[in-house]
Amino acid sequence: NAGVTQTPKFQVLKTGQSMTLQCAQDMNHNSMYWYRQDPGMGLRLIYYSASEGTTDKGEVPNGYNVSRLNKREFSLRLESAAPSQTSVYFCASRGSSGNTIYFGEGSWLTVV
Amino acid sequence: AQSVAQPEDQVNVAEGNPLTVKCTYSVSGNPYLFWYVQYPNRGLQFLLKYITGDNLVKGSYGFEAEFNKSQTSFHLKKPSALVSDSALYFCAVRDIGGVTGGGNKLTFGTGTQLKVEL
């Protein structure tokens, strides 16, 4: 029972490099989310997708793009990484009839 | 806009003693309220939620939380703490009736580190 799966788990990038964080869920959920976690700031919503084919900005979308590839997958792309994007990134999903959001195990990203 | 406050960065309690982790919220409509726990280098795990009904909600691992509408609070409690309860706890709110249409978004507090000592 995989739930929400994120890759990679750890990544080090140089400033200006690009990368994509992958996320997939096997719970047939409609809504998917990307959060970042920083010390003392809790979790902040980057982007979310209420259903396949739709995406919306969250609280901190600058410097990121997302793609809802299909119902299962929701990827987060950093086009030109900056040190301020050093963080732990969490993907999450929620079913249409449920209220609970389920999280992946996180991706630790360091930009040097 | 919806918001959550966790006023304590850290709570220390002795094993066997009761624990309380505080949370207050602000929404324009009716709230859905959640507690999550995070162990080191792991994702967030769902503990419990309040949607409607009984103000006292029971969840995983012996935790419970009380919804208080007049005080806009949703404090997490456990009658007898265990060392294994030591973790980072997050309160979250979803505004299901807000004018900003925030019904699909969950807003988190900054987290409270719980330390249970022998």
Side-chain angles (χ1 to χ4, degrees):
Chain A
N1 193 7
V4 180
T5 305
Q6 296 179 230
T7 57
K9 180 88 171 180
F10 300 99
Q11 184 73 50
V12 179
L13 284 178
K14 293 183 179 179
T15 297
Q17 285 185 320
S18 63
M19 78 158 297
T20 300
L21 298 176
Q22 307 286 354
C23 175
Q25 51 90 10
D26 62 3
M27 296 176 282
N28 201 35
H29 285 172
N30 286 324
S31 298
M32 297 186 74
Y33 308 81
W34 276 105
Y35 285 88
R36 61 177 286 174
Q37 182 181 19
D38 301 290
M41 304 192 75
L43 276 79
R44 293 180 292 169
L45 183 64
I46 305 171
Y47 271 94
Y48 69 101
S49 171
S51 61
E52 184 179 354
T54 68
T55 61
D56 286 284
K57 295 179 180 179
E59 186 183 352
V60 288
N62 291 344
Y64 305 95
N65 286 302
V66 290
S67 295
R68 184 73 183 267
L69 304 170
N70 48 56
K71 192 171 186 178
R72 289 187 65 249
E73 298 173 290
F74 188 40
S75 62
L76 179 71
R77 182 161 178 84
L78 286 70
E79 291 291 351
S80 179
S84 60
Q85 294 178 304
T86 293
S87 187
V88 184
Y89 292 85
F90 288 99
C91 180
S93 71
R94 180 179 68 87
S96 58
S97 59
N99 296 297
T100 303
I101 290 181
Y102 296 92
F103 286 83
E105 289 292 294
S107 296
W108 274 253
L109 176 65
T110 301
V111 183
V112 297
Chain B
Q2 57 196 44
S3 65
V4 175
Q6 293 181 244
E8 301 155 318
D9 290 335
Q10 182 162 319
V11 170
N12 297 319
V13 64
E15 188 174 53
N17 283 359
L19 69 87
T20 299
V21 181
K22 295 179 180 178
C23 171
T24 59
Y25 66 90
S26 174
V27 296
S28 57
N30 292 316
Y32 286 175
L33 292 155
F34 303 81
W35 276 101
Y36 285 84
V37 60
Q38 184 181 32
Y39 297 98
N41 301 318
R42 302 296 302 276
L44 277 71
Q45 296 178 30
F46 169 74
L47 271 182
L48 53 78
K49 63 184 176 186
Y50 170 83
I51 303 300
T52 187
D54 194 348
N55 289 343
L56 184 63
V57 179
K58 294 188 182 297
S60 306
Y61 312 121
F63 284 93
E64 57 188 29
E66 186 167 12
F67 171 63
N68 187 317
K69 189 172 184 178
S70 63
Q71 296 186 1
T72 62
S73 67
F74 189 56
H75 301 330
L76 181 70
K77 300 182 179 184
K78 188 174 182 182
S80 179
L82 299 172
V83 172
S84 58
D85 293 330
S86 298
L88 185 58
Y89 290 81
F90 288 97
C91 181
V93 68
R94 183 173 155 221
D95 184 352
I96 62 170
V99 295
T100 58
N104 198 31
K105 290 180 279 190
L106 200 61
T107 298
F108 285 83
T110 53
T112 298
Q113 186 71 47
L114 173 66
K115 188 174 182 181
V116 182
E117 298 168 311
L118 289 170

